[in-house]
Amino acid sequence: MNSKKLNPLLSYTSINQPKFVYSGKGYFDLLLYIIASAKHTIFLQFYIFLNDETGTLIINALKNATARGVKVYLYIDGYASKELPLTCINEMKAAGIKVKLFEPLLSSKHFYFGRRLHHKVVVADGTYSLVGGINVCNRYNDMPNTPAWLDIALYCNGEASTTLENICKEMWNKATFTWLNDYKNNTTPITETSQTTLVRVSRNDWVMRKKEIWNNYLEMFTKAEKCITIMCSYFLPGNLFRKKLKAAVKRGVKVKIVVAGISDIMISKHAERYLYDWMLRNNIIIYEYKETVLHAKVAVYDSKWVTIGSYNVNGLSAHASLEINMDVLNENFAVKTENELSSIINLHCKQVTKENYSASTNLLRQFWQWVCYNIINKMLFITTFYFKQEK
């Protein structure tokens, strides 16, 4: 595929080297290396960015980057990062880090309660990037006696990072009413090799008429011929997705869903378990991750296509939040991803079967799960019914 199409934001680029990255020390060591190696620009977008031990480590690295002349742009969600003290934000600004909050609750141009910046993005020099579900705070890092939540990111060295930087630049311009044009030619040259990997950036922002990730999932459910594996922290597919998953199983596709056994949002977990009966009746295989909180958002099908990012298969990601994923169309990478997910399933998950689900669920618990499922749906409707799609 040609990387220079009319709409590059929707196109695969070919000169890329992607890498599967887990949360914990390995992710943050890589993030620190990217920051330390940056020569011109660093864009960061995070849902949660705190000044705990992990956040302080990253903040100090960003300060060091600005001290050597690197331009740093930090865009964080104004609600989820509300625990970040104003004094810390002012210190970052004084050090030369440009900081912007996404739609603070009481001072937005458009008051969309529930519409949040859910991105977890880092891109340096338009060449090196990280995209996934990992926020900057201790729970995603390996702390003394406390393992990190299970999460996954995609590291990419290549052209897809240039696309990602253009998106970050566009969003910063719109948010700050400025025009960043002081580093047009600062992208690190990428040397083409015989080994190329197709990678693209996909976004979801219903208000801005972007449904790329949603459409990608719909395409996967429709086109899969052999197998689909989804790892999702808050799996609450809507009616159309459930219809397509059911149809996929009927045509012989093996569908595996890996969800959290330990959840940070219990009402969401109870609502998710309400769907277990439907999934089991339709021969969808369910696994619960048991080691710690599962927060990853990954899908792979037919050993050929992978998506990794911030998008959960639920209504919040589909209609409220801003989401971003990286898609990889490559057999070797897809097989590696399937192997990684299979290893997690075999070593750290428990399969949910009709027998053990029935044994652990009585009528009162089923009723409570039904209540939670309906509460989640009503909350989504109440917080988004007035949303308007912009031109």
Side-chain angles (χ1 to χ4, degrees), residues 41-45 73 121-123 165 168-169 172 180 183:
T41 58
I42 305 171
F43 281 92
L44 306 98
Q45 297 182 352
Y73 304 90
V121 172
V122 181
V123 56
E165 184 184 67
C168 292
K169 177 181 175 181
W172 186 270
L180 304 180
Y183 60 95

Side-chain angles (χ1 to χ4, degrees), residues 178-203:
T178 58
W179 183 250
L180 304 180
N181 58 9
D182 55 347
Y183 60 95
K184 286 182 178 178
N185 299 316
N186 287 337
T187 300
T188 302
I190 304 167
T191 303
E192 185 169 3
T193 66
S194 58
Q195 294 183 340
T196 59
T197 304
L198 296 176
V199 181
R200 72 179 175 193
V201 181
S202 294
R203 303 163 70 184

Side-chain angles (χ1 to χ4, degrees), residues 13-60:
T13 58
S14 60
I15 307 174
N16 297 287
Q17 295 178 326
K19 179 182 177 183
F20 200 83
V21 183
Y22 286 103
S23 54
K25 186 176 183 299
Y27 172 87
F28 287 100
D29 284 350
L30 179 56
L31 175 53
L32 289 170
Y33 175 79
I34 291 172
I35 294 172
S37 302
K39 298 178 180 178
H40 307 292
T41 58
I42 305 171
F43 281 92
L44 306 98
Q45 297 182 352
F46 283 101
Y47 181 59
I48 301 174
F49 192 102
L50 303 181
N51 66 327
D52 54 15
E53 291 89 345
T54 299
T56 299
L57 196 66
I58 302 305
I59 290 169
N60 288 337

Side-chain angles (χ1 to χ4, degrees), residues 99-119:
V99 183
K100 174 67 179 176
L101 303 185
F102 175 82
E103 302 246 340
L105 193 58
L106 298 178
S107 58
S108 303
K109 180 181 178 182
H110 302 288
F111 184 82
Y112 286 130
F113 182 80
R115 184 170 183 257
R116 307 271 34 115
L117 178 69
H118 201 232
H119 293 185

